[in-house]
Structure formats: C-alpha cells, structure tokens
Amino acid sequence: MRRILLLGMVAISVSTGAQTVGTPAPALARLDSLRLTRAEAIAFALANNPQLAIAREQTNEFRAARVSASAIPDPSVTASLDNQSSFFRSGVGGNKNVGAGLTIPFPEKLRLQGAVANGDVKAAEANYLALRRQLATSTSQAYDSLLVAIRHLSDTKEGLQLSTDFLNRTQSRFDAGMVARLDVIKAKVDVAQATNNLISGNRDIANAQAALDRLIGRPLGQPVVAVDSLIIPPEIPALEDLEPIALTSRAELAGISAPRQAA
C-alpha cells in the first residue's frame, strides 16, 4: 500500500513538473504607443536628442575656457634651505629663503585672449542654434514621412481589396467560360503585386517610426502614433525677400563670422 501511495505521489509530481516545463512563458507586454502631435515631437527632440546634449555641453566647455583665458595667473610660493648639515636641518649660518610671486601679464594680452575665447563661445552658441533648427526641421520631416507612409499603406490596403475582388470576379467569369485564362493570371499578378506593396508599406511605417524615435531620443522600435494630419504649407515668399533674411538670420553665418572677428 505504501509503495502504491509512493508511486502515485511520484507520478503526480512528475506530471506537475511536466506541465510547468511545458507551459509557455507569458508574452512580454507590448510597449505603449506614444501619441504625439507635430509640435510635441519637435519639443521631445529638442529636449532629449543626444546630439543636442553634446553640443550644449561643448558650448559650456567653451564658456569655461573663456573664463580661464581672461583670468589672472595663480600666485606662486617658493622656499629654499641652504647649507644644511642634514635633511631639513640647516648648518651654522644657513639661509632660509621664502618667497611669494604673482605674474601679472600685460592687460592687453588678457583682453586679446578674452576676445579669442569669446569668439569661440559665440561660434559654439551659433552652431548649437543651427543644430536646434536642423533638428526641428528633421523631426518635422520625419513626422510627415510617417503620415505619408500611413496614407500610402491605407491606399495599398484598398488596392489589395480591389485586386482581390477583381480576381474573384475574373475567376467566376473564367469558370463560366466568358474570359480567357490569361485574364485570371493577370488578376493574380495584380494581387501578388498589391501584397508586396502592402509588405513594403508596413516596412516604410516601421522605418519612419524608427527615424522619429532616433530624433526624439527614444529607443528604436518603440511605436509612435502621429495624431496630426498632413497640411498644405503656405506659399513661399519671393526670393528677393528671403535672401536678406537668410544673410542676417542664418546661424551658420554667425558661427563663421565670430571666429573671423576674434582672429
């Protein structure tokens, strides 16, 4: 009787272990989609993009270098012991000399060093501003690319549905002897092409989401939902009106002129 009970307990434990091992692991929870408007996507990029953080830290580095370049050198202290009978012990008539010094450079030199460092700071600030503008533009373009990819995917799904319906009708007409078999083959080719376009459209959406994730500083592969719609941009002003604005407002030109003035 004991042997039967023991065998029963072993069988129950083995079956329980088999069920535990065979039970599939729970699926990982899918990451929540980030719903963003175009303005929110640009704000995310300006706040979290690592390239912009690097440029910001480089600007702070140039500002610290400007303080060091225009600062007065640190004072120096010297001490000496002469005629020592042993280590740290002066002999008869030994000399103990202690001195303190401060090197004051020519004031014009400090001004010139400060001007050169200030030019570097202005160039770094201009490059940082240019990077912010470029990042905002790239984020807006990536956002619009995602919207375009979604619109293309919707059109592709509709085209696949139409191709499938046309294939079904063509197959029915072929079965009734009303069309040639070549029409059925053409309809199947159209369905296959629409299916390939659907796969390509899904890939385009994934690539657009990955590009937007990279710009806003999120790990790649996290879904992004664009809640805005495509807009028609306003009319472009005349070229004669844009040229003066570009010559006075371009951050790249300011970043070039600042080192020239310092030099």
Side-chain angles (χ1 to χ4, degrees), residues 185-223:
I185 296 175
K186 290 181 178 180
K188 290 182 178 180
V189 171
D190 293 339
V191 172
Q193 185 176 1
T195 303
N196 293 333
N197 293 336
L198 184 63
I199 297 174
S200 178
N202 288 321
R203 187 183 302 112
D204 292 340
I205 291 180
N207 293 334
Q209 288 181 342
L212 194 57
D213 282 334
R214 178 178 59 84
L215 289 171
I216 65 178
R218 297 181 75 207
L220 299 181
Q222 295 189 5

PDB file of all heavy atoms in Angstrom, residues 185-223:
ATOM      1  N   ILE A 185      -4.753  35.005 -64.870  1.00  0.00           N
ATOM      2  CA  ILE A 185      -3.328  35.099 -64.497  1.00  0.00           C
ATOM      3  C   ILE A 185      -2.945  36.561 -64.238  1.00  0.00           C
ATOM      4  O   ILE A 185      -2.233  36.873 -63.273  1.00  0.00           O
ATOM      5  CB  ILE A 185      -2.458  34.480 -65.601  1.00  0.00           C
ATOM      6  CG1 ILE A 185      -2.759  32.978 -65.723  1.00  0.00           C
ATOM      7  CG2 ILE A 185      -0.993  34.721 -65.317  1.00  0.00           C
ATOM      8  CD1 ILE A 185      -2.032  32.305 -66.869  1.00  0.00           C
ATOM      9  N   LYS A 186      -3.424  37.469 -65.083  1.00  0.00           N
ATOM     10  CA  LYS A 186      -3.134  38.894 -64.870  1.00  0.00           C
ATOM     11  C   LYS A 186      -3.720  39.379 -63.551  1.00  0.00           C
ATOM     12  O   LYS A 186      -3.095  40.163 -62.822  1.00  0.00           O
ATOM     13  CB  LYS A 186      -3.693  39.707 -66.026  1.00  0.00           C
ATOM     14  CG  LYS A 186      -2.962  39.508 -67.345  1.00  0.00           C
ATOM     15  CD  LYS A 186      -3.570  40.377 -68.441  1.00  0.00           C
ATOM     16  CE  LYS A 186      -2.816  40.211 -69.763  1.00  0.00           C
ATOM     17  NZ  LYS A 186      -3.408  41.056 -70.841  1.00  0.00           N
ATOM     18  N   ALA A 187      -4.921  38.920 -63.229  1.00  0.00           N
ATOM     19  CA  ALA A 187      -5.532  39.321 -61.958  1.00  0.00           C
ATOM     20  C   ALA A 187      -4.739  38.788 -60.768  1.00  0.00           C
ATOM     21  O   ALA A 187      -4.575  39.480 -59.754  1.00  0.00           O
ATOM     22  CB  ALA A 187      -6.981  38.834 -61.900  1.00  0.00           C
ATOM     23  N   LYS A 188      -4.232  37.566 -60.870  1.00  0.00           N
ATOM     24  CA  LYS A 188      -3.399  37.018 -59.791  1.00  0.00           C
ATOM     25  C   LYS A 188      -2.091  37.791 -59.646  1.00  0.00           C
ATOM     26  O   LYS A 188      -1.609  38.003 -58.528  1.00  0.00           O
ATOM     27  CB  LYS A 188      -3.113  35.537 -60.060  1.00  0.00           C
ATOM     28  CG  LYS A 188      -4.330  34.631 -59.903  1.00  0.00           C
ATOM     29  CD  LYS A 188      -3.960  33.177 -60.137  1.00  0.00           C
ATOM     30  CE  LYS A 188      -5.168  32.258 -59.933  1.00  0.00           C
ATOM     31  NZ  LYS A 188      -4.822  30.828 -60.162  1.00  0.00           N
ATOM     32  N   VAL A 189      -1.526  38.207 -60.768  1.00  0.00           N
ATOM     33  CA  VAL A 189      -0.299  39.020 -60.708  1.00  0.00           C
ATOM     34  C   VAL A 189      -0.572  40.349 -60.011  1.00  0.00           C
ATOM     35  O   VAL A 189       0.237  40.829 -59.197  1.00  0.00           O
ATOM     36  CB  VAL A 189       0.256  39.235 -62.124  1.00  0.00           C
ATOM     37  CG1 VAL A 189       1.391  40.240 -62.103  1.00  0.00           C
ATOM     38  CG2 VAL A 189       0.744  37.921 -62.713  1.00  0.00           C
ATOM     39  N   ASP A 190      -1.721  40.957 -60.306  1.00  0.00           N
ATOM     40  CA  ASP A 190      -2.070  42.218 -59.643  1.00  0.00           C
ATOM     41  C   ASP A 190      -2.238  42.024 -58.133  1.00  0.00           C
ATOM     42  O   ASP A 190      -1.814  42.875 -57.335  1.00  0.00           O
ATOM     43  CB  ASP A 190      -3.356  42.778 -60.247  1.00  0.00           C
ATOM     44  CG  ASP A 190      -3.170  43.224 -61.696  1.00  0.00           C
ATOM     45  OD1 ASP A 190      -2.008  43.468 -62.085  1.00  0.00           O
ATOM     46  OD2 ASP A 190      -4.187  43.299 -62.417  1.00  0.00           O
ATOM     47  N   VAL A 191      -2.840  40.914 -57.731  1.00  0.00           N
ATOM     48  CA  VAL A 191      -2.994  40.636 -56.299  1.00  0.00           C
ATOM     49  C   VAL A 191      -1.640  40.430 -55.634  1.00  0.00           C
ATOM     50  O   VAL A 191      -1.378  40.936 -54.529  1.00  0.00           O
ATOM     51  CB  VAL A 191      -3.904  39.410 -56.090  1.00  0.00           C
ATOM     52  CG1 VAL A 191      -3.913  38.981 -54.617  1.00  0.00           C
ATOM     53  CG2 VAL A 191      -5.320  39.715 -56.542  1.00  0.00           C
ATOM     54  N   ALA A 192      -0.748  39.693 -56.307  1.00  0.00           N
ATOM     55  CA  ALA A 192       0.581  39.468 -55.740  1.00  0.00           C
ATOM     56  C   ALA A 192       1.358  40.777 -55.621  1.00  0.00           C
ATOM     57  O   ALA A 192       2.061  41.027 -54.625  1.00  0.00           O
ATOM     58  CB  ALA A 192       1.347  38.469 -56.607  1.00  0.00           C
ATOM     59  N   GLN A 193       1.248  41.644 -56.625  1.00  0.00           N
ATOM     60  CA  GLN A 193       1.927  42.927 -56.567  1.00  0.00           C
ATOM     61  C   GLN A 193       1.369  43.802 -55.454  1.00  0.00           C
ATOM     62  O   GLN A 193       2.113  44.483 -54.742  1.00  0.00           O
ATOM     63  CB  GLN A 193       1.794  43.640 -57.915  1.00  0.00           C
ATOM     64  CG  GLN A 193       2.574  44.952 -57.991  1.00  0.00           C
ATOM     65  CD  GLN A 193       2.486  45.581 -59.373  1.00  0.00           C
ATOM     66  OE1 GLN A 193       1.832  45.046 -60.269  1.00  0.00           O
ATOM     67  NE2 GLN A 193       3.144  46.717 -59.535  1.00  0.00           N
ATOM     68  N   ALA A 194       0.039  43.786 -55.282  1.00  0.00           N
ATOM     69  CA  ALA A 194      -0.566  44.556 -54.191  1.00  0.00           C
ATOM     70  C   ALA A 194      -0.128  44.021 -52.828  1.00  0.00           C
ATOM     71  O   ALA A 194       0.078  44.793 -51.878  1.00  0.00           O
ATOM     72  CB  ALA A 194      -2.083  44.526 -54.323  1.00  0.00           C
ATOM     73  N   THR A 195       0.041  42.696 -52.724  1.00  0.00           N
ATOM     74  CA  THR A 195       0.512  42.110 -51.464  1.00  0.00           C
ATOM     75  C   THR A 195       1.944  42.551 -51.164  1.00  0.00           C
ATOM     76  O   THR A 195       2.280  42.885 -50.018  1.00  0.00           O
ATOM     77  CB  THR A 195       0.430  40.582 -51.534  1.00  0.00           C
ATOM     78  OG1 THR A 195      -0.915  40.187 -51.828  1.00  0.00           O
ATOM     79  CG2 THR A 195       0.849  39.954 -50.209  1.00  0.00           C
ATOM     80  N   ASN A 196       2.798  42.564 -52.186  1.00  0.00           N
ATOM     81  CA  ASN A 196       4.170  43.046 -51.987  1.00  0.00           C
ATOM     82  C   ASN A 196       4.188  44.522 -51.593  1.00  0.00           C
ATOM     83  O   ASN A 196       4.994  44.940 -50.742  1.00  0.00           O
ATOM     84  CB  ASN A 196       4.980  42.819 -53.259  1.00  0.00           C
ATOM     85  CG  ASN A 196       5.209  41.354 -53.560  1.00  0.00           C
ATOM     86  OD1 ASN A 196       5.220  40.522 -52.650  1.00  0.00           O
ATOM     87  ND2 ASN A 196       5.381  41.007 -54.826  1.00  0.00           N
ATOM     88  N   ASN A 197       3.310  45.301 -52.202  1.00  0.00           N
ATOM     89  CA  ASN A 197       3.231  46.718 -51.829  1.00  0.00           C
ATOM     90  C   ASN A 197       2.779  46.886 -50.387  1.00  0.00           C
ATOM     91  O   ASN A 197       3.213  47.813 -49.689  1.00  0.00           O
ATOM     92  CB  ASN A 197       2.275  47.442 -52.770  1.00  0.00           C
ATOM     93  CG  ASN A 197       2.807  47.522 -54.189  1.00  0.00           C
ATOM     94  OD1 ASN A 197       4.019  47.444 -54.419  1.00  0.00           O
ATOM     95  ND2 ASN A 197       1.906  47.666 -55.153  1.00  0.00           N
ATOM     96  N   LEU A 198       1.914  45.991 -49.919  1.00  0.00           N
ATOM     97  CA  LEU A 198       1.466  46.046 -48.525  1.00  0.00           C
ATOM     98  C   LEU A 198       2.624  45.759 -47.572  1.00  0.00           C
ATOM     99  O   LEU A 198       2.787  46.433 -46.548  1.00  0.00           O
ATOM    100  CB  LEU A 198       0.332  45.052 -48.311  1.00  0.00           C
ATOM    101  CG  LEU A 198      -0.323  45.055 -46.923  1.00  0.00           C
ATOM    102  CD1 LEU A 198      -0.997  46.398 -46.656  1.00  0.00           C
ATOM    103  CD2 LEU A 198      -1.329  43.919 -46.801  1.00  0.00           C
ATOM    104  N   ILE A 199       3.432  44.769 -47.916  1.00  0.00           N
ATOM    105  CA  ILE A 199       4.609  44.474 -47.082  1.00  0.00           C
ATOM    106  C   ILE A 199       5.571  45.647 -47.083  1.00  0.00           C
ATOM    107  O   ILE A 199       6.122  46.038 -46.043  1.00  0.00           O
ATOM    108  CB  ILE A 199       5.293  43.191 -47.596  1.00  0.00           C
ATOM    109  CG1 ILE A 199       4.346  41.992 -47.461  1.00  0.00           C
ATOM    110  CG2 ILE A 199       6.584  42.933 -46.837  1.00  0.00           C
ATOM    111  CD1 ILE A 199       4.885  40.718 -48.080  1.00  0.00           C
ATOM    112  N   SER A 200       5.791  46.240 -48.256  1.00  0.00           N
ATOM    113  CA  SER A 200       6.679  47.391 -48.339  1.00  0.00           C
ATOM    114  C   SER A 200       6.132  48.579 -47.562  1.00  0.00           C
ATOM    115  O   SER A 200       6.889  49.328 -46.925  1.00  0.00           O
ATOM    116  CB  SER A 200       6.882  47.767 -49.809  1.00  0.00           C
ATOM    117  OG  SER A 200       7.701  48.911 -49.932  1.00  0.00           O
ATOM    118  N   GLY A 201       4.801  48.756 -47.573  1.00  0.00           N
ATOM    119  CA  GLY A 201       4.212  49.856 -46.818  1.00  0.00           C
ATOM    120  C   GLY A 201       4.387  49.684 -45.314  1.00  0.00           C
ATOM    121  O   GLY A 201       4.670  50.652 -44.604  1.00  0.00           O
ATOM    122  N   ASN A 202       4.232  48.462 -44.821  1.00  0.00           N
ATOM    123  CA  ASN A 202       4.474  48.215 -43.394  1.00  0.00           C
ATOM    124  C   ASN A 202       5.930  48.478 -43.024  1.00  0.00           C
ATOM    125  O   ASN A 202       6.225  49.001 -41.935  1.00  0.00           O
ATOM    126  CB  ASN A 202       4.104  46.774 -43.055  1.00  0.00           C
ATOM    127  CG  ASN A 202       2.600  46.544 -43.060  1.00  0.00           C
ATOM    128  OD1 ASN A 202       1.843  47.407 -42.617  1.00  0.00           O
ATOM    129  ND2 ASN A 202       2.153  45.397 -43.567  1.00  0.00           N
ATOM    130  N   ARG A 203       6.837  48.117 -43.931  1.00  0.00           N
ATOM    131  CA  ARG A 203       8.244  48.381 -43.673  1.00  0.00           C
ATOM    132  C   ARG A 203       8.531  49.885 -43.666  1.00  0.00           C
ATOM    133  O   ARG A 203       9.328  50.377 -42.856  1.00  0.00           O
ATOM    134  CB  ARG A 203       9.109  47.686 -44.727  1.00  0.00           C
ATOM    135  CG  ARG A 203      10.608  47.773 -44.450  1.00  0.00           C
ATOM    136  CD  ARG A 203      11.429  47.152 -45.547  1.00  0.00           C
ATOM    137  NE  ARG A 203      11.087  45.751 -45.747  1.00  0.00           N
ATOM    138  CZ  ARG A 203      10.481  45.294 -46.833  1.00  0.00           C
ATOM    139  NH1 ARG A 203      10.141  46.113 -47.807  1.00  0.00           N
ATOM    140  NH2 ARG A 203      10.214  44.007 -46.946  1.00  0.00           N
ATOM    141  N   ASP A 204       7.891  50.624 -44.543  1.00  0.00           N
ATOM    142  CA  ASP A 204       8.089  52.075 -44.573  1.00  0.00           C
ATOM    143  C   ASP A 204       7.599  52.723 -43.278  1.00  0.00           C
ATOM    144  O   ASP A 204       8.237  53.649 -42.751  1.00  0.00           O
ATOM    145  CB  ASP A 204       7.358  52.678 -45.768  1.00  0.00           C
ATOM    146  CG  ASP A 204       7.983  52.277 -47.098  1.00  0.00           C
ATOM    147  OD1 ASP A 204       9.164  51.878 -47.096  1.00  0.00           O
ATOM    148  OD2 ASP A 204       7.281  52.354 -48.127  1.00  0.00           O
ATOM    149  N   ILE A 205       6.487  52.230 -42.752  1.00  0.00           N
ATOM    150  CA  ILE A 205       5.988  52.778 -41.482  1.00  0.00           C
ATOM    151  C   ILE A 205       6.963  52.470 -40.348  1.00  0.00           C
ATOM    152  O   ILE A 205       7.255  53.325 -39.501  1.00  0.00           O
ATOM    153  CB  ILE A 205       4.588  52.212 -41.182  1.00  0.00           C
ATOM    154  CG1 ILE A 205       3.568  52.777 -42.167  1.00  0.00           C
ATOM    155  CG2 ILE A 205       4.173  52.533 -39.753  1.00  0.00           C
ATOM    156  CD1 ILE A 205       2.172  52.265 -41.945  1.00  0.00           C
ATOM    157  N   ALA A 206       7.494  51.243 -40.325  1.00  0.00           N
ATOM    158  CA  ALA A 206       8.458  50.886 -39.272  1.00  0.00           C
ATOM    159  C   ALA A 206       9.718  51.743 -39.369  1.00  0.00           C
ATOM    160  O   ALA A 206      10.252  52.204 -38.348  1.00  0.00           O
ATOM    161  CB  ALA A 206       8.804  49.405 -39.379  1.00  0.00           C
ATOM    162  N   ASN A 207      10.192  51.984 -40.599  1.00  0.00           N
ATOM    163  CA  ASN A 207      11.384  52.821 -40.765  1.00  0.00           C
ATOM    164  C   ASN A 207      11.116  54.266 -40.362  1.00  0.00           C
ATOM    165  O   ASN A 207      11.973  54.925 -39.739  1.00  0.00           O
ATOM    166  CB  ASN A 207      11.863  52.761 -42.218  1.00  0.00           C
ATOM    167  CG  ASN A 207      12.391  51.390 -42.599  1.00  0.00           C
ATOM    168  OD1 ASN A 207      12.847  50.630 -41.746  1.00  0.00           O
ATOM    169  ND2 ASN A 207      12.337  51.055 -43.874  1.00  0.00           N
ATOM    170  N   ALA A 208       9.942  54.775 -40.709  1.00  0.00           N
ATOM    171  CA  ALA A 208       9.604  56.149 -40.333  1.00  0.00           C
ATOM    172  C   ALA A 208       9.485  56.291 -38.819  1.00  0.00           C
ATOM    173  O   ALA A 208       9.928  57.292 -38.230  1.00  0.00           O
ATOM    174  CB  ALA A 208       8.299  56.568 -41.016  1.00  0.00           C
ATOM    175  N   GLN A 209       8.883  55.288 -38.158  1.00  0.00           N
ATOM    176  CA  GLN A 209       8.802  55.334 -36.697  1.00  0.00           C
ATOM    177  C   GLN A 209      10.181  55.245 -36.058  1.00  0.00           C
ATOM    178  O   GLN A 209      10.460  55.927 -35.062  1.00  0.00           O
ATOM    179  CB  GLN A 209       7.901  54.208 -36.198  1.00  0.00           C
ATOM    180  CG  GLN A 209       6.424  54.404 -36.478  1.00  0.00           C
ATOM    181  CD  GLN A 209       5.577  53.272 -35.946  1.00  0.00           C
ATOM    182  OE1 GLN A 209       6.078  52.186 -35.662  1.00  0.00           O
ATOM    183  NE2 GLN A 209       4.279  53.501 -35.805  1.00  0.00           N
ATOM    184  N   ALA A 210      11.068  54.424 -36.616  1.00  0.00           N
ATOM    185  CA  ALA A 210      12.425  54.311 -36.067  1.00  0.00           C
ATOM    186  C   ALA A 210      13.185  55.626 -36.242  1.00  0.00           C
ATOM    187  O   ALA A 210      13.924  56.049 -35.336  1.00  0.00           O
ATOM    188  CB  ALA A 210      13.166  53.168 -36.765  1.00  0.00           C
ATOM    189  N   ALA A 211      13.024  56.285 -37.393  1.00  0.00           N
ATOM    190  CA  ALA A 211      13.693  57.576 -37.602  1.00  0.00           C
ATOM    191  C   ALA A 211      13.175  58.617 -36.621  1.00  0.00           C
ATOM    192  O   ALA A 211      13.955  59.414 -36.069  1.00  0.00           O
ATOM    193  CB  ALA A 211      13.474  58.039 -39.041  1.00  0.00           C
ATOM    194  N   LEU A 212      11.874  58.609 -36.370  1.00  0.00           N
ATOM    195  CA  LEU A 212      11.318  59.559 -35.410  1.00  0.00           C
ATOM    196  C   LEU A 212      11.761  59.229 -33.989  1.00  0.00           C
ATOM    197  O   LEU A 212      12.049  60.141 -33.195  1.00  0.00           O
ATOM    198  CB  LEU A 212       9.791  59.547 -35.514  1.00  0.00           C
ATOM    199  CG  LEU A 212       9.041  60.698 -34.830  1.00  0.00           C
ATOM    200  CD1 LEU A 212       9.514  62.032 -35.367  1.00  0.00           C
ATOM    201  CD2 LEU A 212       7.543  60.550 -35.053  1.00  0.00           C
ATOM    202  N   ASP A 213      11.850  57.939 -33.649  1.00  0.00           N
ATOM    203  CA  ASP A 213      12.366  57.544 -32.324  1.00  0.00           C
ATOM    204  C   ASP A 213      13.802  58.026 -32.133  1.00  0.00           C
ATOM    205  O   ASP A 213      14.175  58.496 -31.050  1.00  0.00           O
ATOM    206  CB  ASP A 213      12.303  56.024 -32.170  1.00  0.00           C
ATOM    207  CG  ASP A 213      10.898  55.528 -31.855  1.00  0.00           C
ATOM    208  OD1 ASP A 213      10.122  56.312 -31.289  1.00  0.00           O
ATOM    209  OD2 ASP A 213      10.578  54.379 -32.188  1.00  0.00           O
ATOM    210  N   ARG A 214      14.607  57.891 -33.167  1.00  0.00           N
ATOM    211  CA  ARG A 214      16.012  58.314 -33.059  1.00  0.00           C
ATOM    212  C   ARG A 214      16.117  59.821 -32.846  1.00  0.00           C
ATOM    213  O   ARG A 214      16.952  60.286 -32.062  1.00  0.00           O
ATOM    214  CB  ARG A 214      16.761  57.905 -34.325  1.00  0.00           C
ATOM    215  CG  ARG A 214      18.223  58.325 -34.356  1.00  0.00           C
ATOM    216  CD  ARG A 214      18.896  57.833 -35.619  1.00  0.00           C
ATOM    217  NE  ARG A 214      18.226  58.356 -36.798  1.00  0.00           N
ATOM    218  CZ  ARG A 214      18.476  59.562 -37.323  1.00  0.00           C
ATOM    219  NH1 ARG A 214      19.361  60.364 -36.759  1.00  0.00           N
ATOM    220  NH2 ARG A 214      17.851  59.968 -38.412  1.00  0.00           N
ATOM    221  N   LEU A 215      15.273  60.579 -33.498  1.00  0.00           N
ATOM    222  CA  LEU A 215      15.353  62.039 -33.382  1.00  0.00           C
ATOM    223  C   LEU A 215      14.862  62.528 -32.027  1.00  0.00           C
ATOM    224  O   LEU A 215      15.419  63.490 -31.475  1.00  0.00           O
ATOM    225  CB  LEU A 215      14.545  62.689 -34.499  1.00  0.00           C
ATOM    226  CG  LEU A 215      15.140  62.566 -35.913  1.00  0.00           C
ATOM    227  CD1 LEU A 215      14.142  63.050 -36.950  1.00  0.00           C
ATOM    228  CD2 LEU A 215      16.443  63.334 -36.023  1.00  0.00           C
ATOM    229  N   ILE A 216      13.827  61.895 -31.478  1.00  0.00           N
ATOM    230  CA  ILE A 216      13.279  62.363 -30.201  1.00  0.00           C
ATOM    231  C   ILE A 216      13.955  61.704 -29.012  1.00  0.00           C
ATOM    232  O   ILE A 216      13.549  61.938 -27.869  1.00  0.00           O
ATOM    233  CB  ILE A 216      11.758  62.137 -30.135  1.00  0.00           C
ATOM    234  CG1 ILE A 216      11.429  60.641 -30.149  1.00  0.00           C
ATOM    235  CG2 ILE A 216      11.059  62.858 -31.279  1.00  0.00           C
ATOM    236  CD1 ILE A 216       9.931  60.351 -30.043  1.00  0.00           C
ATOM    237  N   GLY A 217      14.983  60.866 -29.258  1.00  0.00           N
ATOM    238  CA  GLY A 217      15.755  60.299 -28.164  1.00  0.00           C
ATOM    239  C   GLY A 217      15.132  59.103 -27.491  1.00  0.00           C
ATOM    240  O   GLY A 217      15.412  58.849 -26.318  1.00  0.00           O
ATOM    241  N   ARG A 218      14.301  58.327 -28.215  1.00  0.00           N
ATOM    242  CA  ARG A 218      13.710  57.110 -27.662  1.00  0.00           C
ATOM    243  C   ARG A 218      14.422  55.891 -28.240  1.00  0.00           C
ATOM    244  O   ARG A 218      15.012  55.962 -29.322  1.00  0.00           O
ATOM    245  CB  ARG A 218      12.220  57.020 -27.996  1.00  0.00           C
ATOM    246  CG  ARG A 218      11.372  58.122 -27.421  1.00  0.00           C
ATOM    247  CD  ARG A 218       9.925  57.890 -27.798  1.00  0.00           C
ATOM    248  NE  ARG A 218       9.318  56.815 -27.022  1.00  0.00           N
ATOM    249  CZ  ARG A 218       8.322  56.067 -27.435  1.00  0.00           C
ATOM    250  NH1 ARG A 218       7.838  56.215 -28.651  1.00  0.00           N
ATOM    251  NH2 ARG A 218       7.808  55.136 -26.665  1.00  0.00           N
ATOM    252  N   PRO A 219      14.398  54.759 -27.535  1.00  0.00           N
ATOM    253  CA  PRO A 219      14.963  53.519 -28.096  1.00  0.00           C
ATOM    254  C   PRO A 219      14.240  53.133 -29.383  1.00  0.00           C
ATOM    255  O   PRO A 219      13.024  53.321 -29.514  1.00  0.00           O
ATOM    256  CB  PRO A 219      14.745  52.482 -26.982  1.00  0.00           C
ATOM    257  CG  PRO A 219      14.606  53.289 -25.730  1.00  0.00           C
ATOM    258  CD  PRO A 219      13.964  54.576 -26.135  1.00  0.00           C
ATOM    259  N   LEU A 220      14.983  52.597 -30.330  1.00  0.00           N
ATOM    260  CA  LEU A 220      14.405  52.223 -31.606  1.00  0.00           C
ATOM    261  C   LEU A 220      13.428  51.067 -31.421  1.00  0.00           C
ATOM    262  O   LEU A 220      13.621  50.203 -30.579  1.00  0.00           O
ATOM    263  CB  LEU A 220      15.503  51.828 -32.591  1.00  0.00           C
ATOM    264  CG  LEU A 220      16.526  52.913 -32.942  1.00  0.00           C
ATOM    265  CD1 LEU A 220      17.530  52.381 -33.956  1.00  0.00           C
ATOM    266  CD2 LEU A 220      15.844  54.162 -33.468  1.00  0.00           C
ATOM    267  N   GLY A 221      12.391  51.067 -32.233  1.00  0.00           N
ATOM    268  CA  GLY A 221      11.399  50.008 -32.186  1.00  0.00           C
ATOM    269  C   GLY A 221      10.171  50.332 -31.372  1.00  0.00           C
ATOM    270  O   GLY A 221       9.194  49.569 -31.417  1.00  0.00           O
ATOM    271  N   GLN A 222      10.182  51.420 -30.615  1.00  0.00           N
ATOM    272  CA  GLN A 222       9.001  51.778 -29.851  1.00  0.00           C
ATOM    273  C   GLN A 222       8.000  52.483 -30.765  1.00  0.00           C
ATOM    274  O   GLN A 222       8.358  53.390 -31.512  1.00  0.00           O
ATOM    275  CB  GLN A 222       9.366  52.676 -28.669  1.00  0.00           C
ATOM    276  CG  GLN A 222      10.239  51.987 -27.634  1.00  0.00           C
ATOM    277  CD  GLN A 222      10.409  52.813 -26.379  1.00  0.00           C
ATOM    278  OE1 GLN A 222       9.805  53.857 -26.245  1.00  0.00           O
ATOM    279  NE2 GLN A 222      11.223  52.338 -25.459  1.00  0.00           N
ATOM    280  N   PRO A 223       6.731  52.071 -30.711  1.00  0.00           N
ATOM    281  CA  PRO A 223       5.745  52.632 -31.650  1.00  0.00           C
ATOM    282  C   PRO A 223       5.429  54.092 -31.344  1.00  0.00           C
ATOM    283  O   PRO A 223       5.410  54.523 -30.194  1.00  0.00           O
ATOM    284  CB  PRO A 223       4.519  51.739 -31.447  1.00  0.00           C
ATOM    285  CG  PRO A 223       4.681  51.197 -30.058  1.00  0.00           C
ATOM    286  CD  PRO A 223       6.152  51.055 -29.829  1.00  0.00           C
TER     287      PRO A 223
END
